[in-house]
Amino acid sequence: MKALFIVERNLYYKFYGPVISELLSKGIQVHLLHLSASHLLQRSNNKAFYYPFLSQVPSFHNGTPIVASYRSDDELHAYIKQHDIHNIFSLQSRGSYHADFTGVRWHTLQHGIDTLVENGFDSDHLYVYTQSWIKESRLLVPAYTEVHDVGLYHLGPIASRQEILAKYGLPDNRKFLFFAPLPFDGGSEYFFLGNNRFDRWCINRNLIKKEKSLLRELSQTLHANGWDIILKSRFKRFLDQDYLGFGHVLYDETFFPSTVNELISISESVVCNLMPSALCTEALKLKKPYYVLHHPEHDKKLIPYMDQEIPKLFNPGLEKDFLSSNDLSWALKMVQSQLPPQPHQRYISQYLTPASGEDLSVFTAYLK
């Protein structure tokens, strides 16, 4: 029995890794087919560092997959025929590709909300955290698609605290705040703020300036109480030298195991600047308080945008989850465990925990 995983970015291994391990443990031959397209390496592409180089395939304890690359949908089709593949796993449905997949069973894995905004969805199987994500998204799932609740399957096994501290060179006598800075350096991504390109550019410069100021004050408060900040950015935004003075600056060092999940697991709390994100799913499932820094001067535009685009799926939606960037008095309350508790059990149960429990064997149950 064979299964092929389409790898369009190296960060896909965060989601693929646990599933690949499960398949290898059952003796299934796994093929990892990397997209090798030159346009991904353009300087204008802020995700160029997520280009899936063949050298970045993670290690798997349960076996060794077959690794290859393709440049077009035609080459993808040729590879499938040549190797007699009958099962394909992807983070997109079959409808996202233009090739003949006759005789192939398609398995689509949910990764956040991206999978659930696809037009023309076409897949034999869809693996979602829970059915609530489908019910509250705009995804039109065909009647022939079998939907399986699998929970946060991509969390995978988490190493011990000591192993994680050693891996990232972090001190073992501190507590940590996981801080997700602004995701972008440019202003164009914040199209919901400002009135024109120049206005957005100015807002972005001010947001970064303000982020540095609050991190400077925040780090002083935390450090005096035995805490350090873990500044977890992504390759689409490299933090400048100033940030090195605020805490431990880290990026996506490994995808399987996932750096972000490992760092959250050793942190006391998670704080995200400006907007909620998929981080909240990992944080809440790992039983970590999750907060969003809001900026009062932008709330009139930002809050309506969030209400329209991410009202429930990435944000439990409680006011207690929002902390003001203009008043950092919450920092001392946090280290003293005086912030109001987050009553998110309903969110965790409804969006992150399948009624049947989490069982990775579901990924092998429908192979042929």
Side-chain angles (χ1 to χ4, degrees):
M1 194 177 297
K2 303 175 183 178
L4 180 145
F5 289 76
I6 299 176
V7 186
E8 296 183 356
R9 298 176 189 167
N10 53 20
L11 60 81
Y12 280 27
Y13 281 115
K14 172 181 176 179
F15 303 94
Y16 286 162
V19 182
I20 292 171
S21 275
E22 175 67 17
L23 268 59
L24 288 173
S25 72
K26 299 294 177 61
I28 296 169
Q29 185 182 100
V30 174
H31 294 247
L32 307 179
L33 197 57
H34 284 220
L35 176 61
S36 178
S38 58
H39 72 271
L40 296 175
L41 291 176
Q42 298 297 318
R43 291 185 178 182
S44 58
N45 178 15
N46 62 15
K47 295 184 179 179
F49 278 89
Y50 292 103
Y51 181 89
F53 291 104
L54 296 179
S55 60
Q56 296 170 319
V57 177
S59 297
F60 297 95
H61 299 302
N62 299 325
T64 303
I66 298 169
V67 183
S69 61
Y70 77 102
R71 288 168 293 186
S72 67
D73 286 353
D74 288 340
E75 289 189 3
L76 170 62
H77 169 72
Y79 188 94
I80 292 168
K81 292 299 182 184
Q82 178 185 353
H83 294 274
D84 194 27
I85 303 292
H86 296 287
N87 295 282
I88 291 181
F89 287 82
S90 176
L91 299 187
Q92 284 79 41
S93 83
R94 184 165 38 208
S96 298
Y97 303 88
H98 303 284
D100 179 10
F101 297 112
T102 303
V104 173
R105 184 170 292 181
W106 201 276
H107 305 260
T108 304
L109 308 179
Q110 179 185 351
H111 68 302
I113 201 171
D114 290 354
T115 307
L116 306 178
V117 295
E118 186 179 319
N119 293 322
F121 187 86
D122 174 23
S123 186
D124 298 298
H125 296 273
L126 171 60
Y127 304 87
V128 294
Y129 306 156
T130 69
Q131 298 269 350
S132 295
W133 289 76
I134 296 178
K135 294 175 182 176
E136 297 185 26
S137 72
R138 296 186 293 270
L139 184 69
L140 298 177
V141 180
Y144 58 81
T145 301
E146 294 187 41
V147 180
H148 313 284
D149 291 23
V150 293
L152 246 62
Y153 67 93
H154 63 266
L155 279 184
I158 303 292
S160 70
R161 177 181 175 83
Q162 287 303 315
E163 289 173 322
I164 295 171
L165 293 175
K167 178 178 178 178
Y168 298 103
L170 297 169
D172 61 4
N173 61 344
R174 311 291 288 178
K175 292 184 177 181
F176 299 103
L177 169 67
F178 182 105
F179 188 94
L182 297 166
F184 306 104
D185 268 328
S188 60
E189 291 83 1
Y190 305 114
F191 60 89
F192 44 86
L193 297 176
N195 303 310
N196 51 58
R197 291 182 62 183
F198 179 72
D199 196 17
R200 288 192 292 272
W201 182 89
C202 291
I203 289 173
N204 178 247
R205 293 299 96 188
N206 288 331
L207 283 171
I208 291 176
K209 181 179 179 180
K210 186 173 183 179
E211 180 175 76
K212 291 182 180 182
S213 177
L214 70 86
L215 278 170
R216 185 175 295 106
E217 183 178 344
L218 184 61
S219 63
Q220 292 172 356
T221 300
L222 295 181
H223 200 270
N225 287 273
W227 287 48
D228 284 356
I229 299 177
I230 291 176
L231 280 154
K232 167 60 179 66
S233 191
R234 293 177 61 184
F235 292 139
K236 60 186 179 182
R237 183 189 173 201
F238 287 97
L239 304 179
D240 65 43
Q241 291 293 312
D242 292 343
Y243 287 84
L244 298 177
F246 307 141
H248 307 277
V249 176
L250 293 163
Y251 296 88
D252 293 308
E253 311 295 340
T254 60
F255 295 97
F256 180 68
S258 165
T259 290
V260 65
N261 292 341
E262 290 186 320
L263 295 178
I264 288 175
S265 75
I266 63 167
S267 300
E268 306 299 316
S269 299
V270 173
V271 172
C272 185
N273 192 10
L274 188 65
M275 294 179 64
S277 75
L279 285 175
C280 86
T281 57
E282 283 96 343
L284 295 181
K285 191 62 176 179
L286 290 170
K287 300 180 180 178
K288 307 294 180 177
Y290 174 87
Y291 303 98
V292 178
L293 282 182
H294 77 100
H295 298 255
E297 63 272 30
H298 299 304
D299 283 355
K300 287 184 179 180
K301 290 188 176 181
L302 180 60
I303 299 302
Y305 171 78
M306 290 194 297
D307 285 344
Q308 294 170 12
E309 300 297 325
I310 39 181
K312 296 179 181 178
L313 298 178
F314 277 165
N315 173 30
L318 301 176
E319 292 183 4
K320 294 178 181 178
D321 298 339
F322 286 86
L323 305 170
S324 174
S325 62
N326 292 347
D327 178 12
L328 298 187
S329 61
W330 55 265
L332 189 56
K333 293 179 182 178
M334 182 176 62
V335 300
Q336 296 175 346
S337 301
Q338 294 179 355
L339 284 181
Q342 293 182 309
H344 291 328
Q345 191 52 52
R346 183 200 61 82
Y347 178 89
I348 294 171
S349 299
Q350 183 173 345
Y351 297 104
L352 308 181
T353 307
S356 58
E358 296 179 6
D359 184 3
L360 290 180
S361 64
V362 69
F363 291 106
T364 63
Y366 304 97
L367 301 186
K368 65 175 182 178

